[in-house]
Amino acid sequence: MFKALVMTQGEDGLASGAIQEMDESQLPAGDVTVAVEYSTVNYKDGLCLSAKGGGLVRNYPHVPGIDFAGTVESSEDDRYKSGDKVVLTGWRVGEVHWGGYGQKARVKADWLVPLPEGLSTKQAMAVGTAGFTSMLSVMALEDHGVSPDKGPVLVTGAAGGVGSVAVAILANLGYEVAGVTGRPETADYLKSLGVSQIVAREELNETVKRPLETETWAGCVDAVGGEMLARVLGQMKYGGSVAAVGLAGGAGLPATVIPFLLRGVNLLGIDSVMRPYEDRVRAWQRIASDLSMEKLEAMVKPATLSDLPQLGADILKGQVQGRVVVDVNA
């Protein structure tokens, strides 16, 4: 038997979550059974924990949690054996397949990545899907010629999960980092992670008629989308790149093609869900080498399974700062 946060659907069609005792026989099909140690809370988790499942959950009962780290308990795949430390992000786990909000999980071996040397399972979930996506974004910017000598890099939604880790990685690599936030009280937190310039959300949150503004940013990690992304595109330096990772500000893009045609700006889409195995391994190795563990620890808020319903609501309201690490065994 093991404990899990299980979402069940009522007669009114609305879902709610409660911690339940589960039998291992109830786990879904998969090659590898993992004793989960830690999970985390991402925006998608907030959606899956909501009354309507955010349009992501297909069937109930359901165990959310789009990522986890733990120890292999049993494996039918030769790549993993009992005792191996592993990390899982993506592959729609926690959405259509039971996820990490339980003390056990059963998944396909193809979805797992060995825990990088030098990282603990707790640190891996302090990084989580958000941090993994941040590293993919930094790698994409580098692959398109962005480097510290080219000028400042902007991070939107800087105090959130993706933003916090992106700031810490970029600062550690020697970039000048500007952070956008709508919460002035997070300024000291962001500066502790490496932000050298705070940009108020209001400065970028409205559409302007000018398709191009002063060339300001060499690169950008954008977790907001919407009008802010459109505005940032017009402020990019010639040949600059924006890694688009989120839509906290909306899925629309009220922009023109002028920044692409006259300044050669690159808009890079970052997907972390279906990323190939080789990319995942490369990103996790970079995380282990290029992210300050001291700064990572500074952005962590501990939580337990019982905290998840409230945290899910909070993250959808933009009220979660940094990274939440869920000890599923606490």
Side-chain angles (χ1 to χ4, degrees), residues 40-225:
T40 182
V41 180
N42 302 278
Y43 191 82
K44 275 188 177 180
D45 293 314
L47 294 173
C48 293
L49 289 164
S50 67
K52 295 184 179 179
L56 300 176
V57 180
R58 301 285 179 82
N59 299 294
Y60 294 93
H62 179 69
V63 178
I66 68 168
D67 47 20
F68 62 79
T71 304
V72 172
E73 199 169 79
S74 62
S75 174
E76 298 174 7
D77 188 286
D78 291 341
R79 287 171 287 180
Y80 297 100
K81 64 183 185 301
S82 177
D84 286 349
K85 299 288 186 179
V86 291
V87 181
L88 182 142
T89 62
W91 302 111
R92 304 210 68 192
V93 170
E95 302 173 46
V96 299
H97 189 93
W98 282 17
Y101 290 168
Q103 294 171 324
K104 290 184 189 291
R106 184 175 292 138
V107 296
K108 292 183 178 180
D110 288 342
W111 299 345
L112 296 169
V113 174
L115 182 73
E117 190 173 338
L119 281 186
S120 67
T121 52
K122 184 176 181 180
Q123 289 170 328
M125 281 301 100
V127 175
T129 295
F132 173 65
T133 306
S134 300
M135 190 71 247
L136 292 175
S137 301
V138 172
M139 289 161 54
L141 293 180
E142 291 175 340
D143 290 344
H144 284 80
V146 179
S147 56
D149 62 309
K150 297 292 178 63
V153 174
L154 184 71
V155 178
T156 69
V162 173
S164 293
V165 181
V167 166
I169 292 171
L170 288 164
N172 196 49
L173 291 173
Y175 288 87
E176 178 187 346
V177 185
V180 182
T181 182
R183 295 178 280 172
E185 67 275 11
T186 64
D188 289 343
Y189 164 75
L190 291 173
K191 289 176 181 176
S192 74
L193 297 181
V195 164
S196 57
Q197 178 186 353
I198 302 290
V199 180
R201 181 192 297 163
E202 293 74 24
E203 292 184 31
L204 294 173
N205 222 16
E206 61 178 283
T207 307
V208 295
K209 293 183 179 179
R210 302 185 306 279
L212 294 176
E213 298 181 68
T214 302
E215 295 185 43
T216 307
W217 318 113
C220 174
V221 177
D222 175 58
V224 176

Side-chain angles (χ1 to χ4, degrees), residues 4 12 101 115 131 149 170 174 188 222 256 261 290 303 311 313 325 329:
D12 58 1
Y101 290 168
L115 182 73
D149 62 309
L170 288 164
D188 289 343
D222 175 58
T256 76
L261 302 181
D290 294 341
L311 286 167
V325 176
N329 297 295

